[in-house]
Amino acid sequence: MFTRLGHLVVRRRRTVLVTTLLGLVVAIVLGSGVFAELTNGGFDDPDSESTRAIEALDDEFDTGGADLVAIVTATGGDVDAPEVVAAGTALTEEFAAIEGTDDVTSYWSLGSPAPLRSAEGDRALILMRFPGAEEDPERIDAIDSILEEYGGFEGDGITVGLAGAEPVFAAVGETIEGDLARAEMIAIPLTLLLLLFVFGGVVAAGLPLVVGAISVFGAFMVLWMVTQFTNVSIFSINLVTALGLGLAIDYSLFIVSRFREERALGRSVDDAVVRTVETAGRTVAFSAITVAISLSALLIFPLYFLRSFAYGGIGVLVVAMVVSVIALPSLLAVLGPRVDSLQLFHRRPVRVGEGFWHRLATGVMRRPGAVAIAGVAFLLALGVPFLNVEWGVPDDRVLPESTEVRQQSDILRGEFDSAEGDAFTIVATGGVDTDSIEAYAAAVSTVDGVARVDSAVGRFVAGGNVATDPSLTQFDPAGSVSGDATWFNVVPDVEPISVEAERMVGEIRSIDSRFDETLVGGASAALVDSKSAIFSLVPYAAAIIVVATFVLLFLMFGSLLVPIKAIVLNALSLTATFGLMVWVFQEGNGADLLGFTPTGLTDISMPILMFCVAFGLSMDYEVFLLSRIKEEYDRTGDNDLAVVIGLEKTGRLVTAAALLLSIT
């Protein structure tokens, strides 16, 4: 098959290149619009209890938790000063008049309840909700309008800062776009320098970058097409850029190197291209399929945040594979000897049986047991921190401390005694009466981590009803009962994304009530539900990856032992990856150097993503190495010699490929 493809590529070289160029133009035109279609959400299971709580609250009571919090600061230091009261009241009315907002309440509109005032009395809150789905245009326009017009707003005696879920994720999206542009400005020159070192010439070094650029734009077009049918997370752009540049460069690195090697053996240009496609091209195709299958396991998860990585990753892999196996060999057929033009330096070819990689291979094979034990022990030691993993999801703390939204979120966290912006809801249906409401609210208020429970029959703290006056809170008792349903407003005194908050949700859900059903919502409950949704499917995702990888490697090498060995070794490398991830990002080692805030938690989706990506990539390099070893074994029939020569021929390239991917 690949021999026929090689001959076709040689015969139709110019047609292939013209088609590739036209495809690139289309990809740039369509793919450039993908950023406007991406969303910031996707972290919640749509069928979970927490999601159903939000839907029930909206359907039954036409209300919900606050999506945005405006922190109003009195420049004179007193939010009860007459001029500040007037300005705060007017600002509340302005927000309420914006089309797309709902449930706009503030310290001033509710009669100055203490929970909405800072401990120093110099700041007060305005809370607002945006009904509708995440992708609702009216909702998006309302949020964008407020973020643009009121972030940093200054009025008569007041200034305004914005916090809450919507400003945080908007800031995350803007930060990602800026970071990607800056990262590419750093990565591309460094990648070119490394490619120049590997190839020694400008033309040969430039080819992988061309393939990488085509792959990224092609993947952007694929993502844009996917956004026309379903939600896609903006975080997928990170993976598309990294894999698009990294793997496309890796694949083209092997293609160009094999072409030059075949030319050095005396083959004609056309014969060298055919031989390259049937050897390196076959390996690239199997490798890309292996990584794509690993990423496809993400499609079984209900969180579209994870599925988005599959969309982007598979898209970029398909484009990179097609360009590397078809378009790049066509370009090599046109360039011929000119692929070595503009040489900066000439490296003396290392003869078979010489050089670092030969010495490494023979040294390892003299003491295989000792090396294997030491290697396994080292990887397991790196993986030990993963035993202490604690799970979380992204919040404002993923943003740099210099970000305005992060600073406003820290003000909410540090200067207000009551976490009104973090309040969550419980919706109860069936058996609703005064006694059942009072008994349940009292029980919830005694749970560790709960500061207050607002209900239709009063406010409860530590099991007691302390107030029934609705002016003391933004909660409206009169509107909290509808037919045989009621809802409770629960204010926590723990960080919503924390181990303590998870325990709090677990205790609340274990409370026996007189209601037919209770649905606990909010960020903490969503974290619990996301963990449940993800971990219940992890065994199936792992099975998909392992079985598919085993079958592919069996088809490629015709061996049962080689796939098993590859899977075990890659699982060991993943162990080290997970351990280092926890050691750095959860435990905070190197936080000052890398510039992030350790939260004591590991993002719940990252190990799943890393499992699919890192497993695929490590298998990627294994395929390159094993395919060359098998090629030498088929030629010589000598196992030891095949291993040594295989490592000699690929060790330098695999190392360069890993360095290139590390840079991107």
Side-chain angles (χ1 to χ4, degrees), residues 39 206 222 274 295 337 350 358 389 410 512 524 566 628 632 650:
T39 64
V222 171
V274 173
L295 285 171
V350 178
H358 174 84
V389 67
D410 286 339
D512 289 328
S524 305
R628 196 57 187 261
E632 295 299 330
T650 59

Side-chain angles (χ1 to χ4, degrees), residues 287-302:
S287 172
I289 292 171
T290 302
V291 182
I293 288 176
S294 294
L295 285 171
S296 70
L298 293 170
L299 293 172
I300 71 172
F301 293 100

Side-chain angles (χ1 to χ4, degrees), residues 139 235 275 552 596:
R139 186 179 191 276
F235 290 92
R275 182 61 179 162
L552 276 173
F596 70 91

Side-chain angles (χ1 to χ4, degrees), residues 387-459:
L387 297 174
N388 301 318
V389 67
E390 297 287 356
W391 303 109
V393 293
D395 59 15
D396 61 277
R397 291 170 293 178
V398 304
L399 291 166
E401 292 181 356
S402 58
T403 307
E404 174 68 18
V405 175
R406 168 68 187 276
Q407 293 173 355
Q408 296 299 321
S409 299
D410 286 339
I411 289 173
L412 268 183
R413 189 177 287 113
E415 297 187 19
F416 287 80
D417 294 332
S418 182
E420 301 299 310
D422 296 329
F424 61 92
T425 59
I426 301 175
V427 179
T429 56
V432 173
D433 56 40
T434 300
D435 291 340
S436 60
I437 293 173
E438 183 172 4
Y440 186 72
V444 172
S445 69
T446 63
V447 172
D448 287 341
V450 173
R452 188 184 82 236
V453 178
D454 299 322
S455 74
V457 298
R459 173 191 291 179

Side-chain angles (χ1 to χ4, degrees), residues 116-296:
L116 299 184
R117 184 180 61 236
S118 66
E120 298 296 325
D122 60 338
R123 306 183 199 273
L125 304 181
I126 302 176
L127 309 176
M128 63 196 84
R129 183 175 76 96
F130 303 94
E134 289 179 346
E135 65 275 12
D136 187 343
E138 183 178 296
R139 186 179 191 276
I140 294 172
D141 290 344
I143 294 170
D144 290 344
S145 173
I146 291 174
L147 294 179
E148 183 177 342
E149 294 181 29
Y150 293 94
F153 174 83
E154 296 183 6
D156 295 333
I158 62 171
T159 61
V160 178
L162 302 178
E166 293 299 336
V168 166
F169 283 109
V172 167
E174 293 174 5
T175 302
I176 285 175
E177 290 190 44
D179 286 350
L180 280 175
R182 186 165 63 254
E184 288 165 4
M185 290 177 64
I186 298 170
I188 291 175
L190 287 177
T191 300
L192 179 58
L193 287 174
L194 184 54
L195 286 169
L196 286 172
F197 176 77
V198 172
F199 288 115
V202 174
V203 174
L207 293 178
L209 282 179
V210 171
V211 174
I214 295 173
S215 300
V216 170
F217 282 114
F220 283 172
M221 182 183 71
V222 171
L223 271 185
W224 177 84
M225 293 169 65
V226 174
T227 61
Q228 307 308 302
F229 301 96
T230 187
N231 291 326
V232 178
S233 169
I234 192 170
F235 290 92
S236 61
I237 291 294
N238 296 61
L239 185 70
V240 165
T241 305
L243 280 185
L245 285 174
L247 283 182
I249 289 172
D250 281 4
Y251 293 159
S252 52
L253 175 68
F254 283 93
I255 295 290
V256 174
S257 297
R258 188 60 186 252
F259 174 76
R260 296 174 83 199
E261 181 182 330
E262 297 298 332
R263 286 283 295 155
L265 293 175
R267 295 183 189 272
S268 67
V269 170
D270 289 359
D271 289 344
V273 169
V274 173
R275 182 61 179 162
T276 297
V277 172
E278 67 183 9
T279 54
R282 178 176 179 269
T283 301
V284 165
F286 267 90
S287 172
I289 292 171
T290 302
V291 182
I293 288 176
S294 294
L295 285 171
S296 70

Side-chain angles (χ1 to χ4, degrees), residues 398 534 623:
V398 304
I534 288 175
V623 168

